[in-house]
Amino acid sequence: LSGRNAMEENMKKRLELLKKQHKQREYEKRVAFEKERLISEHIDFTKYYRFAGQDETDRINTVLYELPVRYNRPDFSKLLIEHKSQSINDLLQYENEDIWICCLCGSMELINLFSFGKMSSFIHDFENWYGISDYLFLLFNNFIDFIYIDDSGEIVKSKIAINE
């Protein structure tokens, strides 16, 4: 009987492992779908952008996790606001900056994909990005400065430094 119990226990563990592997494969399929969607929405995505690697993803997630949030938006009462605007053209002053583009709404897989490129490319492709996600978080490559764009088109430049 104890041999049978051990065999049943091994079968349960094997089944759990198979379920985990299946979930991971399904998640990877959905990520691949979102990547393909991003690439197809931008005619020259592979020329002007790239996806974050694991180390970069971890670093960006750390920044996003530490960002003070209120009502699912950055809490600007705890952040220094450097500039507010309603025009994407105001971002031209940063056109040579490298940025990480983070979609803050959409599928979980889309939210966990981060794209790297130049601000000038983002400005050029703004309508495409805005069509993909109504809330965008542009993190400068210094991982401190950022620009937040909401669904009303308001653009706020700030940094990850809490006011004292």
Side-chain angles (χ1 to χ4, degrees):
L1 194 65
S2 66
R4 184 175 187 179
N5 286 342
M7 192 168 91
E8 285 177 8
E9 191 61 34
N10 284 339
M11 291 294 283
K12 284 181 184 177
K13 287 179 183 177
R14 175 79 177 137
L15 184 58
E16 285 302 313
L17 177 64
L18 289 173
K19 284 181 183 178
K20 256 185 177 176
Q21 289 173 342
H22 178 72
K23 276 186 176 180
Q24 183 61 32
R25 281 193 302 273
E26 288 300 311
Y27 176 78
E28 288 169 4
K29 281 182 191 176
R30 291 190 307 269
V31 168
F33 171 80
E34 290 295 351
K35 282 184 176 182
E36 186 57 40
R37 187 168 75 100
L38 282 175
I39 290 168
S40 67
E41 297 260 341
H42 295 85
I43 295 166
D44 292 322
F45 185 94
T46 55
K47 184 176 179 183
Y48 296 107
Y49 305 99
R50 70 172 176 81
F51 293 109
Q54 190 58 55
D55 289 343
E56 296 158 330
T57 296
D58 292 344
R59 196 163 172 202
I60 294 165
N61 277 327
T62 298
V63 169
L64 291 172
Y65 179 77
E66 292 175 357
L67 184 70
V69 175
R70 185 172 178 204
Y71 304 118
N72 295 324
R73 299 171 182 231
D75 184 356
F76 289 106
S77 69
K78 296 180 180 171
L79 296 162
L80 173 68
I81 295 175
E82 294 180 11
H83 180 76
K84 273 189 172 185
S85 170
Q86 287 285 331
S87 172
I88 194 67
N89 291 326
D90 287 347
L91 299 182
L92 286 170
Q93 62 187 310
Y94 310 110
E95 69 181 329
N96 294 318
E97 295 287 335
D98 293 324
I99 58 167
W100 291 100
I101 303 164
C102 311
C103 299
L104 298 181
C105 70
S107 70
M108 189 54 67
E109 294 80 16
L110 177 64
I111 290 170
N112 288 319
L113 279 180
F114 307 115
S115 303
F116 181 79
K118 287 268 184 217
M119 180 67 82
S120 57
S121 298
F122 173 81
I123 293 167
H124 179 266
D125 295 333
F126 175 70
E127 291 302 320
N128 289 337
W129 284 108
Y130 204 54
I132 291 168
S133 179
D134 292 340
Y135 297 90
L136 296 163
F137 185 84
L138 310 178
L139 182 61
F140 287 71
N141 207 30
N142 65 8
F143 292 88
I144 296 170
D145 296 297
F146 72 88
I147 292 169
Y148 173 74
I149 304 172
D150 71 12
D151 62 339
S152 68
E154 183 174 48
I155 300 167
V156 179
K157 166 89 168 57
S158 187
K159 59 178 56 201
I160 311 293
I162 297 175
N163 291 338
E164 297 298 321

